[in-house]
Every structure is written in structure tokens, then in C-alpha cells.
Amino acid sequence: MSKKPQKSSVKPYTEWKEDLPTGPQFGILSKLNGTWVNWKGGPTGLHTTPMPSPGTSSETIFGVFHFKSQEYREQLKFTQVNAPVRNRAGSNEQFNGAVKYETAIIDTDNALQHFENGMYLWLGDNQMPWDPNSPYQNPPTMFNHPSDAESVKTDGAEPVLGPGELGPQFVPPHTISRSGVIPHGTTIHLTGNVTASDIKDKTPHIADLWEQQYLAVSPSMGINPKKDLIPGSREKPGWTKLPREDQKGGGVNSGRAYFEKIFNYDQFGAKFPYTVQPNLKLIDANDGLCFKKYDMIELDSRHETGVQGATVNNVMVERYCRVARMRFRMWLEEIVDDGGKVIDQLQYEQIVDFEFMFGSDGGTTLWPHIQVNTLRREKDIPRADRLPPIQLPTEDAEEAAGGPKPVVYAMKHTRA
């Protein structure tokens, strides 16, 4: 073993100068810009949502809950903002690439079901050593910023700092963040990374059948996939046909009795097996498609170590149906359509963990609220297959008429 010092792969960033960077960096988020929708004859979205039952108090009544699942269609729009957003951190300068998003969802009765807006940020490629030729690192998002005579004088740094001081370089642990505002009264902040990149000529592996982490029933609900589902088969298990009082493990007080409604649900286009494992909709949507390549993004509000994301709720949601965690997976795919043309497809799965009281021991149950959908760029869908655009019932504002035309203003990053 050599006793010579080993060369570190952590190299100082380029020193920041005024008017750098020359442009924004969006990384993989550059593939999002535009409007994505469902289409006639194509797959639909689906959600599964457990809720406290009418008349209950989550602190005192256990085992009673309301379940709803629906197919839906969606209009998801991304807007890339071509202005790098600066974060000053002393010795480090970070420039985020911002992509705004807004979604609107209607159900099978054409009733508005959900709307939401927020922002994805490209935080910087966290791979070492830095490669100036990497498309995700050039233009760069990270710079070093040492003290100089001007900053020492202006900021009163003496005698603590003199010119030329530089602290450790910050390496972003995550490349992407998503912040969103949900009108029920929850704000989300998720962080994560690109976990699969430029995978060619393969269909994405969404999940195994009855894989626990993707099911609409959690272990805390008293359902065990190995015992309560048929391994390797989408056939509905026989116990779902029994009356509640005849269920094993306690009759009407058993886990099977409480949750058989999820297995037997058949409304609004939603039924088994999708009410139990919603991402089977994504798997089925991909059946028979020719994939050219795909990328995958995984984000989470909770991580095993380090700085966490967040779910922040208003008082009523926090008290009675707490949103405790959100996980998100997105696949950005290139497929061959029926006409032989290569087009883009976007698939996603998001799992929101609700918590409210359940069980005679006072324990808290985790209730997965899951959404999945398969979308394509609106411009790639033949006109005859396009569905009417979704417009929110917003209030018209009295805006000024006439006057100057809008002007695009660029950001300017200076030392001041």
C-alpha cells in the first residue's frame, strides 16, 4: 500500500465571477418543458384514497374508515424558466434551474378532482470528479467564492478573515427538489436524484407483483401480502368473498374484515387488482410498447440520513389525517408510437402516507394514498385523439387594457 497522499477527486469549483453562469442548467428536468395529457383510448390515471369515516373521531373509534378510488385524466404543464436562481453560501455559490409545474385532474364524471402547483429545481450534478464536458455540469451550477479585498472591507471581515480565504466546497447530496402546494392544506418538499439514466431498448421495471412498498395496504393495517394475496397471481383471494364475521383473526375485528372493501371495491372505473397495487396500471400501459430509452427520477420527503424534506399541514389535516410522508417516482421515456414515430411518454407514481388513529392499542396506522398516471406530450397526440383542455373555475380579474407590451427581464448576478 502506497504511503503517498492520494489525489482527491473533490476538486474546487470554478471561481465565481460576475455574470456567471452564462445560462441556466436544468439537467434532466430539461426534458419536462411542455404540456402532458391523457388521450382518447389511452390509459387513465388512478388514485386510491383512505379517509376517516363520517361520524368518527380518530382518537376514539378504531377500524372505521372510508375508501375511495377513481380513474382520472390529467393536464400537467411544465414551464422552464430560463434564469439561473442564485443561492449565496459564503464560499459556495449555487445556481438553481427552475421548472414550474401546474396540474389539473378531473374524474370519470368530468368533475374537477384535484389541482396543484409548484416547482422542480435542478440543484446540480453531484457526481465526482467534475467533468467539464458533462451535459449536466456544463454550464456549471456550483462555483467557489473566496473572500477578496473588497468583500473584507465591505462586510467588516477583519480580523476574522483576510483576502483569499475559502471554506470547504459543498457537494449537493441531491440533484433535484420538488416543492408543491396542495389546496387541502399541505405543502410538500421532496428531494432526490436521477436513479436510472439513458437506459436503452428496455422496458422500465415498475415493480414486482404484490411488492409491499407499492401497495395501498400497509403492514400497520393488518394485511400481509404473503398470506393475504396469491403469490405470482392477480387473482382475487378467496377470503374476500367471505362475510366480515367469518374472517380469520378476529371476525369483524380482523384486518381482513376491515380492509376487504379495498379488495372488493368496484366504482368509478377502479377495481382489483389496481385498488391494491395501483402501479399495475403503469405496467399494463407499457405492455406491447417499444421503448427506445428511459430515465427515472426518485424523490422523497424522508431520507435515512442527512437533511430531510418536509410535509407541512394546516391544523385540521395535521390533527385528523396527517400527511406524514411523500414518495415520488417519475419515468421519462422515449417510445415508438403506432405510426413508427419516436415520441415522449411520462409515467409517475406518488405515494402519500396519511396517519390517523386506528387500533385498540392506540397505535397509529399508515394509510397509503397513491396516484399513478401515464401521459404523453399533447403535441404528439393526433388531433382526433386529443381530449378537451382542462380549465380551472378561476375568478376573472379586472386587468389593465392596452399599454406597453410585456418585457422579458433576465437575472443579473453581481457582487453586490
Side-chain angles (χ1 to χ4, degrees):
M1 182 175 179
S2 173
K3 295 183 178 180
K4 294 181 179 180
Q6 298 299 303
K7 188 176 181 180
S8 173
S9 64
V10 182
K11 301 176 181 178
Y13 302 119
T14 300
E15 184 175 338
W16 179 80
K17 305 292 184 184
E18 286 197 351
D19 296 324
L20 288 178
T22 55
Q25 170 65 262
F26 296 98
I28 200 169
L29 301 183
S30 62
K31 297 184 177 184
L32 294 177
N33 195 51
T35 302
W36 304 74
V37 294
N38 296 105
W39 64 98
K40 292 179 182 177
T44 59
L46 182 130
H47 78 87
T48 61
T49 309
M51 296 167 274
S53 178
T56 65
S57 169
S58 59
E59 291 86 355
T60 58
I61 297 178
F62 59 90
V64 181
F65 73 100
H66 182 67
F67 179 78
K68 188 171 186 178
S69 183
Q70 295 172 291
E71 290 187 329
Y72 64 81
R73 77 172 177 95
E74 182 173 9
Q75 179 176 287
L76 175 59
K77 183 177 181 179
F78 296 95
T79 304
Q80 184 173 296
V81 183
N82 292 323
V85 181
R86 182 182 182 185
N87 287 334
R88 304 192 193 200
S91 294
N92 296 274
E93 298 272 355
Q94 181 183 49
F95 292 84
N96 296 336
V99 179
K100 299 192 299 180
Y101 78 88
E102 52 185 334
T103 187
I105 291 174
I106 61 172
D107 64 19
T108 50
D109 293 325
N110 291 327
L112 182 64
Q113 183 185 92
H114 179 74
F115 59 95
E116 175 185 332
N117 59 24
M119 194 170 294
Y120 286 81
L121 299 180
W122 179 259
L123 306 175
D125 194 324
N126 60 358
Q127 300 299 311
M128 285 291 187
W130 300 98
D131 181 1
N133 297 316
S134 167
Y136 291 168
Q137 296 177 352
N138 186 32
T141 61
M142 299 295 302
F143 296 85
N144 77 63
H145 195 168
S147 60
D148 56 23
E150 181 182 348
S151 69
V152 169
K153 180 179 178 182
T154 302
D155 299 339
E158 292 181 330
V160 179
L161 288 178
E165 299 283 353
L166 182 68
Q169 300 295 272
F170 169 72
V171 180
H174 308 292
T175 56
I176 298 168
S177 73
R178 171 188 168 191
S179 298
V181 181
I182 292 88
H184 295 290
T186 298
T187 300
I188 59 166
H189 182 70
L190 316 179
T191 52
N193 295 295
V194 180
T195 54
S197 180
D198 203 30
I199 307 300
K200 292 182 171 64
D201 302 320
K202 288 185 66 176
T203 302
H205 178 71
I206 305 294
D208 294 330
L209 183 63
W210 310 138
E211 190 171 349
Q212 177 67 76
Q213 62 178 324
Y214 304 124
L215 301 186
V217 288
S218 74
S220 62
M221 297 162 89
I223 295 294
N224 185 333
K226 293 181 179 179
K227 296 180 179 179
D228 299 322
L229 291 157
I230 302 173
S233 172
R234 291 193 184 188
E235 182 183 352
K236 190 187 295 186
W239 62 263
T240 60
K241 300 175 184 178
L242 298 175
R244 295 183 69 217
E245 57 270 18
D246 293 341
Q247 296 293 350
K248 288 183 179 180
V252 295
N253 290 319
S254 66
R256 287 182 174 183
Y258 287 125
F259 300 111
E260 68 177 5
K261 71 182 75 171
I262 296 177
F263 290 78
N264 292 327
Y265 192 90
D266 189 0
Q267 297 184 65
F268 311 111
K271 60 183 179 180
F272 184 89
Y274 307 114
T275 54
V276 174
Q277 185 172 339
N279 64 24
L280 295 176
K281 289 270 290 183
L282 305 181
I283 295 172
D284 291 352
N286 290 341
D287 187 37
L289 294 181
C290 176
F291 281 80
K292 301 298 288 184
K293 64 179 181 179
Y294 73 89
D295 306 281
M296 183 170 70
I297 296 168
E298 294 188 77
L299 309 177
D300 203 327
S301 66
R302 186 181 299 169
H303 301 282
E304 290 184 3
T305 61
V307 177
Q308 303 295 303
T311 56
V312 182
N313 306 302
N314 68 17
V315 176
M316 182 176 178
V317 172
E318 181 73 15
R319 183 172 295 173
Y320 294 105
C321 189
R322 177 175 174 259
V323 178
R325 181 185 182 185
M326 180 173 174
R327 290 173 283 155
F328 178 76
R329 295 193 295 166
M330 177 190 287
W331 294 264
L332 299 171
E333 305 155 346
E334 289 185 9
I335 63 167
V336 181
D337 69 6
D338 294 338
K341 179 183 176 183
V342 177
I343 63 172
D344 296 330
Q345 179 170 281
L346 183 156
Q347 295 186 295
Y348 72 79
E349 174 189 52
Q350 56 186 29
I351 303 175
V352 181
D353 291 340
F354 295 162
E355 288 184 356
F356 50 91
M357 299 303 291
F358 171 83
S360 57
D361 63 353
T364 301
T365 293
L366 183 150
W367 308 78
H369 163 45
I370 302 176
Q371 292 174 275
V372 297
N373 207 354
T374 298
L375 306 169
R376 293 181 182 173
R377 290 190 183 277
E378 188 174 43
K379 68 180 183 63
D380 289 335
I381 298 171
R383 287 182 179 270
D385 294 334
R386 294 178 189 172
L387 294 160
I390 300 171
Q391 183 171 334
L392 297 181
T394 55
E395 185 72 18
D396 291 333
E398 293 186 11
E399 304 288 3
K405 293 183 178 179
V407 177
V408 175
Y409 295 95
M411 284 190 171
K412 184 177 182 180
H413 300 296
T414 67
R415 293 184 179 276

